[in-house]
């Protein structure tokens, strides 16, 4: 993804015409080339044709459920996915995150809220974490970033190519979302460090999310599942009770 916002593409999947227009105008004002879809099937076709950097996806679509559309998008695209829901119950929000969405936003919302959420997603670090990302933890975060010129990290049977955004587990490629990959780079890049949920939030999501630690729990849970970590003896990511998360020491 380029850094020039004028090069960014978005697909808005929303069956309500007024809401679709609002999202389109908001994204266009911030440099996105926007394609519009009123159904899940049309949205999937648009994603295939336009190869977007961002997809906004309503949960309540007339043909396919938004969670199913998100699963299908994830199979073919690494675009940021923001779920849009009018259903306030937490189950829907969690379902969206568990099937690969990067964020969710509840109706009604303001254009300013959409802008802030999108900007926060696109600011997430890719190959390093700036020292300023975690106040009072400058040295910690700087030490956790991959060394300049060295984009490969390894932890037991886990290999991470930071520049290529490629993860291998036991030699097999692992399909991760952008957010899961960013979390993994932090953890593997500093395998002896215990990260608090707040530190992970600030480093991956940005300061706007410092109070929403639940996001970390959901995405770490998804990452663990893909790594095969189950039960009380995880292979890779351990929970440090009352603190946060760290890496399990490799066997041997």
């Amino acid at each position: 993804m380029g850094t020039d916002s004028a090069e960014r593409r978005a697909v808005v999947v929303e069956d309500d015409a007024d809401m679709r227009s609002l999202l389109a105008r908001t994204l266009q004002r911030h440099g996105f080339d926007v394609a519009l879809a009123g159904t899940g099937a049309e949205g999937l076709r648009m994603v295939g044709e336009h190869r977007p950097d961002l997809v906004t996806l309503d949960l309540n679509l007339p043909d396919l459920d938004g969670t199913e559309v998100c699963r299908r998008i994830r199979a073919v695209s690494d675009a940021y996915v923001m779920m849009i829901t009018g259903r306030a119950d937490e189950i829907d929000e969690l379902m969206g995150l568990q099937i690969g969405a990067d964020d969710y936003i509840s109706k009604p919302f303001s254009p300013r809220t959409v802008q802030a959420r999108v900007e926060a997603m696109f600011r997430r670090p890719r190959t390093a974490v700036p020292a300023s990302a975690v106040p009072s933890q400058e040295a910690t975060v700087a030490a956790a970033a991959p060394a300049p010129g060295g984009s490969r990290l390894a932890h037991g049977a886990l290999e991470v190519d930071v520049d290529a955004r490629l993860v291998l587990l036991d030699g097999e490629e692992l399909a991760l979302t952008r957010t899961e990959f960013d979390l993994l780079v932090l953890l593997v890049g500093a395998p002896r460090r215990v990260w608090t949920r707040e530190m992970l939030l600030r480093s991956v999501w940005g300061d706007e999310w410092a109070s929403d630690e639940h996001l970390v729990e959901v995405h770490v849970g998804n990452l663990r599942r893909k790594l095969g970590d189950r039960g009380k003896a995880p292979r890779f990511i351990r929970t440090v009770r009352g603190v946060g998360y760290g890496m399990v020491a490799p066997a041997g």
Side-chain angles (χ1 to χ4, degrees):
M1 181 187 306
T3 57
D4 184 353
S5 61
E7 298 176 354
R8 293 174 178 169
R9 295 181 295 275
V11 171
V12 172
V13 187
E14 168 64 60
D15 66 327
D16 183 274
D18 291 338
M19 187 66 64
R20 191 164 61 238
S21 178
L22 172 64
L23 287 166
R25 290 196 306 270
T26 300
L27 295 174
Q28 287 167 344
R29 279 200 299 267
H30 296 284
F32 283 87
D33 178 15
V34 181
L36 304 177
T39 66
E42 187 179 8
L44 289 168
R45 180 174 62 81
M46 291 288 186
V47 168
E49 291 179 359
H50 292 273
R51 301 179 63 84
D53 303 297
L54 169 70
V55 178
T56 69
L57 176 59
D58 187 23
L59 270 175
N60 294 303
L61 295 169
D63 52 348
L64 297 170
D65 186 85
T67 56
E68 176 60 24
V69 176
C70 187
R71 287 190 184 94
R72 297 188 190 184
I73 289 173
R74 264 298 158 254
V76 298
S77 173
D78 67 347
Y80 291 100
V81 176
M82 175 182 286
M83 304 294 286
I84 309 288
T85 176
R87 308 195 297 242
D89 57 293
E90 189 178 44
I91 293 176
D92 283 328
E93 295 169 352
L94 291 178
M95 283 179 63
L97 293 173
Q98 288 171 349
I99 48 85
D102 295 284
D103 189 15
Y104 62 83
I105 188 170
S106 298
K107 300 175 183 177
F109 52 79
S110 68
R112 182 174 297 180
T113 299
V114 175
Q115 175 191 348
R117 295 287 185 92
V118 170
E119 288 178 352
M121 283 194 294
F122 276 84
R123 283 201 302 270
R124 292 178 190 170
R126 287 294 173 254
T127 60
V129 182
S132 60
V134 183
S136 303
Q137 298 289 341
E138 291 83 358
T140 293
V141 177
S151 70
R152 289 186 177 271
L153 304 171
H155 191 85
L158 192 62
E159 301 175 59
V160 182
D161 187 326
V162 180
D163 288 346
R165 299 189 66 80
L166 175 69
V167 177
L168 299 178
L169 175 58
D170 295 319
E172 297 291 328
E173 184 173 351
L174 206 61
L176 301 182
T177 68
R178 292 173 182 267
T179 303
E180 291 162 359
F181 183 89
D182 294 342
L183 283 169
L184 186 62
V185 168
L186 283 179
L187 293 166
V188 177
R192 300 177 67 179
R193 165 147 297 280
V194 175
W195 292 81
T196 68
R197 291 171 178 82
E198 182 182 357
M199 289 167 64
L200 291 173
L201 268 172
R202 292 186 184 279
S203 299
V204 176
W205 281 268
D207 290 339
E208 296 89 345
W209 301 94
S211 63
D212 196 355
E213 295 184 359
H214 188 55
L215 275 175
V216 174
E217 296 171 1
V218 171
H219 282 286
V220 169
N222 294 342
L223 180 56
R224 278 174 158 165
R225 187 174 62 253
K226 292 182 179 181
L227 293 172
D229 278 355
R230 292 179 177 85
K232 296 181 179 180
R235 186 180 179 190
F236 295 106
I237 300 176
R238 62 191 177 100
T239 298
V240 181
R241 188 170 300 224
V243 182
Y245 303 100
M247 296 296 292
V248 176

